[in-house]
Amino acid sequence: MTALSLDASPRILQLPLSVINKIAAGEVIERPASVVKELLENSLDAGATRIDVDVEAGGTELIRVVDNGKGIQAADFELAFANHATSKLATADDLFSIQSMGFRGEALSSIGGIAHVTLQSRPPEEMSGAEIHCRGGDLSPVRDWNGSPGTRIEVRHLFFNTPVRRKFMKSASTEMGHIAEVATRIALAHPGLHLTLRHNGKLVYEIPGSAGLLERIGLFFGDEVRGQLYNIDQHQGPNHLFGFIADPACDRGTSKLQYLFLNGRWIRDRSLGHAIQEGFRGLLMTGRYAVAFLFLEIPPGTVDVNVHPTKCEVRFAESQKLYHLVLSTLRNRLAAQNLTARLKAPAPAPNGYFQPRAEADHPSLFSQPGFPSFIKRPMPEPPARPAEPALPPPPQNSPLAPPIPEIEPKAIQLHNAYLVLETAEGMLVIDQHALHERILFEHVKERFRQGTLEAQKLLIPEPVELSAEQAARTLEHQGALAALGLGVEGFGGSTILITSYPALLSRTPPADILKAILDHINSYERTPAREALLEECMSLMACHAAVRSGDPLGPEEIADLVRMRHLASDAHHCPHGRPTALLFTRHELDKQFKRI
Ligand code: ADP
Ligand code: MG
């Protein structure tokens, strides 16, 4: 009787080893790239300084990894292919201070169980080496092998005995893409390693051991990325964060270029990924992602890497601390950088005219439905220079911050939208709405922080009809809205009463404010955290209260706005991440006019 017979109640049977191995292999080896990852990690654990990877047909035909590491003794060959056999762990305590890439002793047994593998190895101190074959878990006798010191592993016919997995393999080029990504992660994390990757005999990458991190980034991601990096290096207790972040102008449509390494291992971590994006908050458009190469070194005892067979996810003992380390390091670094977008002019057109192209024309919030576009408002009172400014004004004559000129150069308004200004560096073009919005945003935030954000009480509360869901959502955020000066109360059914509204928005009908905020909340997939909601609402308030593009401004208003530029701690981007100003450097102008 077999375990699957239906005519009698099934008995419990111990699964044969070959089945156990296939199940385990399925967890570790998902696709050819997983084999490459495991073999590369073994080579690194063996102290290799040079690794050559050869791949054919995306790894479906052949994966060969040759290293110059410490090799495997012939006597250990069979154990190397045994499940849960490792040279990297001796006691259970070692699990909590893992220094090596591997430790589960699963990779070789998994790969050997689902492919044809040849292992050849020679420890450098031995006169000769040995080889063994493993086909679907069946081992050949060990034979002599005369090769150079190190280990050479060939994997052919991957998934030959697991047809379902084989079917799920994608095209050779897709699988090769995954393999290249694995190689990239390994090469970034191990400066000093000489790594070559070949596909069908053609060289894909050759990373010399002498190439430092910056050079490696340049090799993998090109000069565009390399040229826009800021280094970071921050210690906090026993934790160390270092690496590079790219200028916000180098943003991407996915988070794929956010590389995070923990103690030399590439990892995926939602919380730290979030910290990266938070570090760039206000500098990126919605849906855009920062580029970052971050390395985190923390005591091995404070992280559990044994969460998942592929070890790409880990559990931190102090994740909150690390979150703040990443966030504050990025924030401070970006704040220290002058981020006024520098206009990269294209080559002059054949007619000789300079045709500067604005950076990608981002969709404006104002053109989105749900944002009333009725306001043509007079300039609200400029925030008086606060007694306690958000940031202390830069010290006069500081080499870092140029002194604020007593008299601002005169600015000219163009198209009722832009202010043009001569500065020491060149010609500055300011987006009047974006700059004003930024200044108001910081003003509102500062007032909020001090608890002096003014609210206007409504003598007669204003009822607003909403959908039942919207009404519920509004009440869910009652506290946060009240903190902003927007008082709301339930009135039964789906009616909400507005009892007060932010004084800054005195010219916007209260119901419109509430609806704009609700539209915003609804655009989130999940309920936003209170802090994020507050910040978004403040940015919305600033947006509504600011002068608009198309508003003609008087000379005083123009002068005020230009002067207020220095009050903002980030005068370079509006709260939605659009630049507030573009600088045409004198040098660029001279170049375009062919003066130099
Ligand atoms: P783990 O890496 O978790 O120990 P593996 O199945 O990947 O498990 O490897 C089993 C053992 O084989 C390792 O512990 C190591 O001793 C040995 N080994 C594998 N690859 C190499 C290599 N390239 N050089 C030296 N030893 C190796
Ligand atoms: Mg391993």
Side-chain angles (χ1 to χ4, degrees):
M1 189 173 72
T2 70
L4 293 175
S5 67
L6 298 169
D7 48 356
S9 69
R11 286 180 42 218
I12 299 176
L13 294 183
Q14 178 74 51
L15 288 174
L17 204 60
S18 61
V19 178
I20 294 177
N21 281 348
K22 270 193 201 170
I23 292 173
E27 285 188 6
V28 187
I29 308 300
E30 189 194 342
R31 58 187 345 145
S34 332
V35 174
V36 175
K37 170 181 179 284
E38 293 297 334
L39 296 183
L40 282 174
E41 291 189 348
N42 279 348
S43 297
L44 288 166
D45 283 343
T49 54
R50 174 170 184 141
I51 310 177
D52 295 287
V53 183
D54 267 277
V55 173
E56 276 170 28
T60 57
E61 292 289 322
L62 169 74
I63 295 168
R64 183 192 303 120
V65 173
V66 180
D67 71 43
N68 65 353
K70 68 178 184 196
I72 310 175
Q73 300 285 344
D76 284 346
F77 271 23
E78 289 186 10
L79 264 183
F81 280 102
N83 202 358
H84 309 302
T86 178
S87 56
K88 301 166 193 175
L89 269 191
T91 69
D93 284 350
D94 293 349
L95 253 187
F96 304 103
S97 57
I98 303 254
Q99 310 272 5
S100 55
M101 307 287 284
F103 58 84
R104 295 170 59 114
E106 289 179 330
L108 280 188
S109 74
S110 296
I111 300 168
I114 50 172
H116 294 191
V117 181
T118 300
L119 161 66
Q120 299 164 320
S121 191
R122 176 184 151 199
E125 66 278 7
E126 303 287 337
M127 292 305 290
S128 68
E131 74 173 13
I132 192 170
H133 303 280
C134 182
R135 291 185 165 214
D138 295 333
L139 290 173
S140 74
V142 177
R143 274 193 228 103
D144 286 346
W145 175 71
N146 280 319
S148 32
T151 301
R152 192 172 182 279
I153 299 188
E154 275 188 11
V155 178
R156 293 180 190 272
H157 308 300
L158 183 63
F159 300 133
F160 80 100
N161 54 357
T162 52
V164 179
R165 264 299 144 90
R166 197 169 60 233
K167 258 214 204 109
F168 275 101
M169 274 201 284
K170 299 280 185 328
S171 67
S173 61
T174 301
E175 296 300 344
M176 191 55 207
H178 288 282
I179 291 172
E181 179 63 23
V182 162
T184 303
R185 292 169 187 167
I186 295 272
L188 287 177
H190 295 90
L193 172 69
H194 184 145
L195 181 67
T196 65
L197 174 62
R198 282 191 179 71
H199 190 213
N200 299 333
K202 283 221 309 259
L203 191 67
V204 181
Y205 294 132
E206 167 138 34
I207 315 295
S210 58
L213 177 57
L214 204 53
E215 209 176 313
R216 286 170 190 242
I217 293 173
L219 281 168
F220 288 119
F221 305 101
D223 289 340
E224 189 239 340
V225 170
R226 184 191 166 156
Q228 302 190 66
L229 297 177
Y230 308 129
N231 75 306
I232 55 165
D233 192 358
Q234 187 70 39
H235 290 268
Q236 189 185 70
N239 304 326
H240 183 199
L241 175 70
F242 63 96
F244 294 96
I245 54 176
D247 191 280
C250 188
D251 62 354
R252 291 291 188 273
T254 81
S255 60
K256 269 195 73 178
L257 260 64
Q258 292 179 359
Y259 284 85
L260 180 61
F261 299 91
L262 173 80
N263 296 347
R265 194 192 293 283
W266 178 88
I267 60 159
R268 217 181 356 237
D269 189 87
R270 277 179 70 102
S271 161
L272 295 183
H274 190 260
I276 296 175
Q277 282 297 105
E278 280 295 298
F280 278 82
R281 180 193 275 275
L283 301 176
L284 297 172
M285 295 290 298
T286 310
R288 303 295 293 177
Y289 293 86
V291 171
F293 305 92
L294 299 183
F295 295 79
L296 198 51
E297 300 287 339
I298 68 175
T302 63
V303 58
D304 184 358
V305 287
N306 193 20
V307 177
H308 191 266
T310 63
K311 310 175 202 95
C312 291
E313 277 158 38
V314 301
R315 217 170 281 136
F316 295 110
E318 299 185 309
S319 66
Q320 235 6 54
K321 258 197 194 148
L322 298 175
Y323 181 93
H324 284 290
L325 174 61
V326 171
L327 175 60
S328 62
T329 306
L330 267 54
R331 279 257 170 96
N332 293 339
R333 187 65 182 90
L334 290 167
Q337 207 64 37
N338 180 359
L339 293 174
T340 300
R342 276 184 176 66
L343 200 92
K344 277 186 222 77
N351 61 14
Y353 287 114
F354 173 37
Q355 299 176 318
R357 204 162 20 93
E359 288 273 276
D361 199 3
H362 299 304
S364 150
L365 255 188
F366 311 103
S367 60
Q368 288 177 13
F371 285 85
S373 56
F374 49 80
I375 327 159
K376 169 100 186 316
R377 60 185 66 257
M379 179 96 162
E381 281 279 285
R385 192 160 191 151
E388 284 176 86
L391 274 189
Q396 298 287 318
N397 301 327
S398 142
L400 292 174
I404 301 173
E406 278 298 303
I407 302 160
E408 280 287 349
K410 210 163 127 52
I412 303 169
Q413 188 189 31
L414 298 181
H415 302 292
N416 291 339
Y418 299 108
L419 309 179
V420 180
L421 182 67
E422 178 191 332
T423 73
E425 283 176 280
M427 180 175 80
L428 193 65
V429 181
I430 296 173
D431 178 327
Q432 65 186 35
H433 171 76
L435 176 61
H436 193 205
E437 183 183 12
R438 180 80 218 177
I439 293 166
L440 289 178
F441 175 62
E442 293 197 1
H443 172 73
V444 168
K445 260 174 79 164
E446 183 54 19
R447 285 279 180 96
F448 177 76
R449 200 180 64 79
Q450 297 176 351
T452 55
L453 201 57
E454 281 168 49
Q456 195 91 46
K457 265 221 143 27
L458 279 170
L459 285 179
I460 306 164
E462 186 174 323
V464 187
E465 277 300 326
L466 299 169
S467 72
E469 198 216 333
Q470 281 185 324
R473 284 216 160 192
T474 304
L475 294 176
E476 191 185 325
H477 295 294
Q478 199 171 25
L481 297 178
L484 292 167
L486 189 64
V488 292
E489 281 169 21
F491 191 59
S494 52
T495 305
I496 292 289
L497 282 185
I498 301 183
T499 56
S500 68
Y501 62 94
L504 184 73
L505 296 177
S506 57
R507 292 182 194 86
T508 310
D512 288 352
I513 303 171
L514 179 61
K515 284 183 177 157
I517 289 178
L518 278 175
D519 276 341
H520 204 82
I521 296 175
N522 286 331
S523 70
Y524 281 90
E525 258 175 51
R526 287 175 296 138
T527 304
R530 182 186 155 93
E531 234 173 66
L533 177 72
L534 284 172
E535 178 130 348
E536 294 292 354
C537 288
M538 288 191 260
S539 124
L540 217 113
M541 286 163 64
C543 177
H544 277 255
V547 291
R548 307 190 69 81
S549 178
D551 286 352
L553 302 179
E556 301 242 310
E557 291 167 331
I558 294 176
D560 276 348
L561 196 49
V562 168
R563 217 179 3 253
M564 287 191 299
R565 198 168 99 243
H566 301 295
L567 293 180
S569 66
D570 178 359
H572 312 299
H573 296 84
C574 78
H576 310 112
R578 277 185 297 139
T580 60
L582 295 177
L583 178 68
F584 296 70
T585 63
R586 173 69 202 266
H587 180 78
E588 190 61 44
L589 290 172
D590 285 348
K591 218 170 82 191
Q592 292 294 330
F593 285 112
K594 305 209 181 300
R595 289 183 169 277
I596 46 172

